Amino acid sequence: MSGSIEQYDVAYIGQALPDDELSQVTIPVSALTECRGEIGDFTLSFQAEDDLKQVRASNIVINLKHQEELPVDCCTSLLEAEANLAEEEEPLIIVQDYQDLSAAALSKEGLELALEVKESNPAREVYYFYQAMRFMDNNDELYEKAREKEVIFLKHDLGDLEITDKGKVSYQREDIKLELTGELTVAPELKPAAKLDKLARIFNITRGPEGYLQVDNIYLQPTLSGKRGVYLLAGARGPNSLTYEQEEIQYTLQEVKRNLTGVEEIDEEERTVDDQKCVVCYTCYRLCPHGAIQRDEELNSMKIMPLACQACNLCISRCPMGAISRSGEDEQQPKDERQVIICENSAALAREKAETDPFADTVVTEVPCVSTVKKEEIYQRLANHKSDLLILGCISESCKHLTGHDRCEQVVNTAKEDLEKLDLDPDRVNYHRLSPRMATDLSAYLADWKGEVLQ
Amino acid sequence: MIVGKLKDVAEIKEMLPEDIESLLIIGCGTCVSVSLAGGEREANSLRDLLELYYSSQGQDVRVNATTIKRQCDDEFIETEELSIEGHDVVLSLACGVGVQHLGIKHPEKIILPGVNTTFYGRNADVGEWEEMCLGCGDCILDDFAGVCPVARCSKSLIHGPCGGSQDGKCEVDDEIDCGWELIYNRAEDTGQLDRLLEYEGPKDWSTYRDGGVRSHKNPEFFSE
Ligand code: SF4
Ligand code: SF4
Ligand code: SF4
Ligand code: SF4
């Protein structure tokens, strides 16, 4: 059946990008109803006229405009201002950073507008209020030029500048006091694009605290979402996406093209859901940081999409039915007195960078993400060994599996509470966060920890 | 769905007999698995935690865990019959129904509850549940715009709010939404405000606990 559905290299949700090499389809956010499949072969369902249509696409790019909020009424948005006002006599007033600092891209817009006006009508007064001029591309040149053309730059701090509802601008700083009216153009506050909650649901992507589809994490820079093959631009990605717009577009197109040459599974292991055990509770679906789990409608159980899966094992450790297994799960446990479980993306890298191996006399279990650790394993290790257990995870922004390390910490904390309730020593299990760069912290922490354990 | 919460492990430890020699923990693979309280994961980690506890006490207790699909149906528990008989005590992680069903099937066995059966609820977010229904036996949702006054008003008031709610929150606890505000808002949104005035009550509580212990039969399965 899927053979009869048209297949494209990339599906754009929102605005398409110009590119001659890629076959593409554009779907408006409001029409989109479902996304299944994974990188290389997504199937998107959407409403077209009165029909439900489907297309297949190898990649998905969500490219939506920010919503804009103007900090005052009675003005035009700097992003929409047009400078064809050559005949106007009244001054042009450009304001950036009125309440919050504006993105660098808005400085560029403002400078370009100021210059355009000055070039077509040198006599017209142009006032430019700003808290901080931010530089990107050729902003510094534009700024110099604007100064030469006698654009009046006035720096303000919060409170120096008042704009009334009627559009009157008053400015007071040191010995300058100004009351101005004129053509008023203000930098808007940029907000996440509309309907991102719907897209988060359809693509099963976690939204960041501000509501964008990208969370603050080094592994997602610049335009990756948590889900492989789904890219985020502009108002879907974040507040500073305008500043790096061109680079981000280039990167995204390159990635899309690279994906078309083939994608590989992230590791050799096979993760499978036992359809007889799965109770379709959706816990794995909701927890997977990479949106890699879908319901298999035929089996009425969950299934893991092998290319989308990033091998963190979080789903395995949290499935209430123990329905998910992986081929490489090794049962053997270290016989060592000190037990340490480390994440291959942080402590393992920090270890390589340390001058002397901080784990020289310790048997270490390396895991793809500490969310691999099951609650059972914590108790089993404590029961089987006299020594304490140390789990070294990542700091949140540099956790490759986004929420994986928070999830592990939640499990460790509940395990500690339960140990305490049974009058067992909760400090026998420890959790500590590192980044790959923290080699010295790692050595120092281990020295402390060993000191305590040996006591 | 029936929602449950795993009991505090200290309480579980207290309820287990002191001279226990073997314990079988039985998870239930339906409601309480979905509400993350008593499925295989909880059964196995509780087994390992109790093993750790007993070994730290120098006590030799055999702790095993198994999980069956539904503890409230005969056919599923029959497969565990031998195992149940082979242990001193059974700790059931099913809802109260499952615990008692095991007791009926195993009249001489001590069957203990490992889960608090909390309510009939919905999943509000991952790991979060909310009470929606009390099982009153005579559903009146049609009269209240689809929001249950019995379950979602803290006082089960049927004839309007108590007057103590503030900013949409219940006076019993400001973490709780005022059920009557929810009823009113949804009635307004669905154009059914008039309907709220039509309910004349009193509600027939004989289908609830007031009529004593309840049971019912589906007539399609019985002949006169
Ligand atoms: S967490 Fe386990 S039981 Fe729940 S849906 Fe996923 S595989 Fe099925
Ligand atoms: S292993 Fe991690 S990435 Fe893969 S399906 Fe499970 S939770 Fe998702
Ligand atoms: S015993 Fe309780 S928890 Fe288990 S299936 Fe029956 S009703 Fe659900
Ligand atoms: S009216 Fe009774 S049956 Fe209906 S939702 Fe409320 S408690 Fe449940």
Side-chain angles (χ1 to χ4, degrees), chain B residues 35-51:
Chain B
S35 60
L36 311 180
E40 183 173 305
R41 175 179 188 262
E42 301 317 318
N44 289 356
S45 12
L46 187 61
R47 171 200 62 204
D48 293 334
L49 178 59
L50 289 175
E51 265 179 356

PDB file of all heavy atoms in Angstrom, chain B residues 35-51:
ATOM      1  N   SER B  35      -0.778   1.807  35.423  1.00  0.00           N
ATOM      2  CA  SER B  35      -0.598   2.942  36.342  1.00  0.00           C
ATOM      3  C   SER B  35       0.732   2.838  37.113  1.00  0.00           C
ATOM      4  O   SER B  35       0.944   3.520  38.113  1.00  0.00           O
ATOM      5  CB  SER B  35      -1.798   3.093  37.281  1.00  0.00           C
ATOM      6  OG  SER B  35      -1.984   1.945  38.067  1.00  0.00           O
ATOM      7  N   LEU B  36       1.628   2.019  36.597  1.00  0.00           N
ATOM      8  CA  LEU B  36       3.028   1.951  37.047  1.00  0.00           C
ATOM      9  C   LEU B  36       3.167   1.665  38.547  1.00  0.00           C
ATOM     10  O   LEU B  36       4.061   2.192  39.209  1.00  0.00           O
ATOM     11  CB  LEU B  36       3.777   3.243  36.675  1.00  0.00           C
ATOM     12  CG  LEU B  36       3.631   3.709  35.221  1.00  0.00           C
ATOM     13  CD1 LEU B  36       4.430   4.995  34.974  1.00  0.00           C
ATOM     14  CD2 LEU B  36       4.084   2.637  34.237  1.00  0.00           C
ATOM     15  N   ALA B  37       2.258   0.850  39.075  1.00  0.00           N
ATOM     16  CA  ALA B  37       2.276   0.578  40.508  1.00  0.00           C
ATOM     17  C   ALA B  37       2.639  -0.868  40.830  1.00  0.00           C
ATOM     18  O   ALA B  37       3.327  -1.135  41.817  1.00  0.00           O
ATOM     19  CB  ALA B  37       0.908   0.902  41.105  1.00  0.00           C
ATOM     20  N   GLY B  38       2.184  -1.805  40.003  1.00  0.00           N
ATOM     21  CA  GLY B  38       2.357  -3.198  40.414  1.00  0.00           C
ATOM     22  C   GLY B  38       2.595  -4.169  39.280  1.00  0.00           C
ATOM     23  O   GLY B  38       2.170  -5.316  39.339  1.00  0.00           O
ATOM     24  N   GLY B  39       3.288  -3.722  38.252  1.00  0.00           N
ATOM     25  CA  GLY B  39       3.620  -4.618  37.143  1.00  0.00           C
ATOM     26  C   GLY B  39       4.917  -5.370  37.420  1.00  0.00           C
ATOM     27  O   GLY B  39       5.413  -5.400  38.550  1.00  0.00           O
ATOM     28  N   GLU B  40       5.476  -5.945  36.360  1.00  0.00           N
ATOM     29  CA  GLU B  40       6.681  -6.769  36.527  1.00  0.00           C
ATOM     30  C   GLU B  40       7.870  -5.968  37.062  1.00  0.00           C
ATOM     31  O   GLU B  40       8.640  -6.444  37.894  1.00  0.00           O
ATOM     32  CB  GLU B  40       7.047  -7.391  35.168  1.00  0.00           C
ATOM     33  CG  GLU B  40       8.240  -8.308  35.265  1.00  0.00           C
ATOM     34  CD  GLU B  40       8.503  -9.062  33.960  1.00  0.00           C
ATOM     35  OE1 GLU B  40       7.580  -9.742  33.466  1.00  0.00           O
ATOM     36  OE2 GLU B  40       9.633  -8.966  33.453  1.00  0.00           O
ATOM     37  N   ARG B  41       7.999  -4.728  36.583  1.00  0.00           N
ATOM     38  CA  ARG B  41       9.137  -3.913  37.029  1.00  0.00           C
ATOM     39  C   ARG B  41       9.072  -3.697  38.530  1.00  0.00           C
ATOM     40  O   ARG B  41      10.072  -3.845  39.243  1.00  0.00           O
ATOM     41  CB  ARG B  41       9.130  -2.577  36.290  1.00  0.00           C
ATOM     42  CG  ARG B  41      10.199  -1.600  36.765  1.00  0.00           C
ATOM     43  CD  ARG B  41      10.134  -0.313  35.953  1.00  0.00           C
ATOM     44  NE  ARG B  41      11.243   0.582  36.243  1.00  0.00           N
ATOM     45  CZ  ARG B  41      11.171   1.617  37.075  1.00  0.00           C
ATOM     46  NH1 ARG B  41      10.048   1.866  37.716  1.00  0.00           N
ATOM     47  NH2 ARG B  41      12.214   2.395  37.277  1.00  0.00           N
ATOM     48  N   GLU B  42       7.893  -3.348  39.027  1.00  0.00           N
ATOM     49  CA  GLU B  42       7.761  -3.093  40.464  1.00  0.00           C
ATOM     50  C   GLU B  42       7.941  -4.383  41.252  1.00  0.00           C
ATOM     51  O   GLU B  42       8.578  -4.394  42.300  1.00  0.00           O
ATOM     52  CB  GLU B  42       6.416  -2.451  40.794  1.00  0.00           C
ATOM     53  CG  GLU B  42       6.149  -1.121  40.093  1.00  0.00           C
ATOM     54  CD  GLU B  42       7.337  -0.175  40.056  1.00  0.00           C
ATOM     55  OE1 GLU B  42       8.039  -0.061  41.085  1.00  0.00           O
ATOM     56  OE2 GLU B  42       7.594   0.426  38.997  1.00  0.00           O
ATOM     57  N   ALA B  43       7.354  -5.480  40.733  1.00  0.00           N
ATOM     58  CA  ALA B  43       7.472  -6.763  41.434  1.00  0.00           C
ATOM     59  C   ALA B  43       8.948  -7.166  41.547  1.00  0.00           C
ATOM     60  O   ALA B  43       9.423  -7.537  42.624  1.00  0.00           O
ATOM     61  CB  ALA B  43       6.672  -7.837  40.706  1.00  0.00           C
ATOM     62  N   ASN B  44       9.682  -7.067  40.444  1.00  0.00           N
ATOM     63  CA  ASN B  44      11.083  -7.487  40.466  1.00  0.00           C
ATOM     64  C   ASN B  44      11.951  -6.562  41.313  1.00  0.00           C
ATOM     65  O   ASN B  44      12.834  -7.020  42.031  1.00  0.00           O
ATOM     66  CB  ASN B  44      11.651  -7.562  39.043  1.00  0.00           C
ATOM     67  CG  ASN B  44      11.067  -8.724  38.265  1.00  0.00           C
ATOM     68  OD1 ASN B  44      10.288  -9.516  38.814  1.00  0.00           O
ATOM     69  ND2 ASN B  44      11.400  -8.825  37.001  1.00  0.00           N
ATOM     70  N   SER B  45      11.707  -5.250  41.241  1.00  0.00           N
ATOM     71  CA  SER B  45      12.582  -4.410  42.063  1.00  0.00           C
ATOM     72  C   SER B  45      12.257  -4.538  43.536  1.00  0.00           C
ATOM     73  O   SER B  45      13.151  -4.448  44.373  1.00  0.00           O
ATOM     74  CB  SER B  45      12.631  -2.930  41.640  1.00  0.00           C
ATOM     75  OG  SER B  45      11.688  -2.580  40.745  1.00  0.00           O
ATOM     76  N   LEU B  46      10.971  -4.777  43.845  1.00  0.00           N
ATOM     77  CA  LEU B  46      10.634  -4.997  45.253  1.00  0.00           C
ATOM     78  C   LEU B  46      11.273  -6.297  45.763  1.00  0.00           C
ATOM     79  O   LEU B  46      11.788  -6.365  46.884  1.00  0.00           O
ATOM     80  CB  LEU B  46       9.102  -5.035  45.415  1.00  0.00           C
ATOM     81  CG  LEU B  46       8.582  -5.082  46.843  1.00  0.00           C
ATOM     82  CD1 LEU B  46       9.024  -3.848  47.629  1.00  0.00           C
ATOM     83  CD2 LEU B  46       7.059  -5.178  46.860  1.00  0.00           C
ATOM     84  N   ARG B  47      11.270  -7.305  44.894  1.00  0.00           N
ATOM     85  CA  ARG B  47      11.932  -8.574  45.262  1.00  0.00           C
ATOM     86  C   ARG B  47      13.399  -8.311  45.616  1.00  0.00           C
ATOM     87  O   ARG B  47      13.888  -8.725  46.673  1.00  0.00           O
ATOM     88  CB  ARG B  47      11.849  -9.554  44.078  1.00  0.00           C
ATOM     89  CG  ARG B  47      12.691 -10.825  44.240  1.00  0.00           C
ATOM     90  CD  ARG B  47      12.963 -11.497  42.916  1.00  0.00           C
ATOM     91  NE  ARG B  47      13.737 -10.619  42.029  1.00  0.00           N
ATOM     92  CZ  ARG B  47      13.741 -10.713  40.708  1.00  0.00           C
ATOM     93  NH1 ARG B  47      13.018 -11.638  40.100  1.00  0.00           N
ATOM     94  NH2 ARG B  47      14.474  -9.877  39.979  1.00  0.00           N
ATOM     95  N   ASP B  48      14.069  -7.562  44.755  1.00  0.00           N
ATOM     96  CA  ASP B  48      15.499  -7.342  44.983  1.00  0.00           C
ATOM     97  C   ASP B  48      15.751  -6.473  46.209  1.00  0.00           C
ATOM     98  O   ASP B  48      16.723  -6.662  46.933  1.00  0.00           O
ATOM     99  CB  ASP B  48      16.135  -6.724  43.734  1.00  0.00           C
ATOM    100  CG  ASP B  48      16.131  -7.717  42.579  1.00  0.00           C
ATOM    101  OD1 ASP B  48      16.119  -8.936  42.861  1.00  0.00           O
ATOM    102  OD2 ASP B  48      16.117  -7.294  41.414  1.00  0.00           O
ATOM    103  N   LEU B  49      14.863  -5.516  46.433  1.00  0.00           N
ATOM    104  CA  LEU B  49      15.020  -4.660  47.604  1.00  0.00           C
ATOM    105  C   LEU B  49      14.805  -5.462  48.895  1.00  0.00           C
ATOM    106  O   LEU B  49      15.569  -5.353  49.848  1.00  0.00           O
ATOM    107  CB  LEU B  49      14.029  -3.487  47.531  1.00  0.00           C
ATOM    108  CG  LEU B  49      14.023  -2.518  48.711  1.00  0.00           C
ATOM    109  CD1 LEU B  49      15.391  -1.876  48.906  1.00  0.00           C
ATOM    110  CD2 LEU B  49      12.966  -1.425  48.511  1.00  0.00           C
ATOM    111  N   LEU B  50      13.763  -6.301  48.894  1.00  0.00           N
ATOM    112  CA  LEU B  50      13.506  -7.095  50.106  1.00  0.00           C
ATOM    113  C   LEU B  50      14.605  -8.125  50.342  1.00  0.00           C
ATOM    114  O   LEU B  50      14.983  -8.399  51.479  1.00  0.00           O
ATOM    115  CB  LEU B  50      12.128  -7.758  50.028  1.00  0.00           C
ATOM    116  CG  LEU B  50      10.948  -6.778  50.163  1.00  0.00           C
ATOM    117  CD1 LEU B  50       9.620  -7.493  49.942  1.00  0.00           C
ATOM    118  CD2 LEU B  50      10.940  -6.068  51.524  1.00  0.00           C
ATOM    119  N   GLU B  51      15.127  -8.682  49.244  1.00  0.00           N
ATOM    120  CA  GLU B  51      16.253  -9.615  49.395  1.00  0.00           C
ATOM    121  C   GLU B  51      17.434  -8.913  50.058  1.00  0.00           C
ATOM    122  O   GLU B  51      18.068  -9.446  50.961  1.00  0.00           O
ATOM    123  CB  GLU B  51      16.682 -10.152  48.032  1.00  0.00           C
ATOM    124  CG  GLU B  51      16.035 -11.480  47.737  1.00  0.00           C
ATOM    125  CD  GLU B  51      16.420 -12.031  46.373  1.00  0.00           C
ATOM    126  OE1 GLU B  51      17.140 -11.338  45.614  1.00  0.00           O
ATOM    127  OE2 GLU B  51      15.984 -13.159  46.079  1.00  0.00           O
TER     128      GLU B  51
END
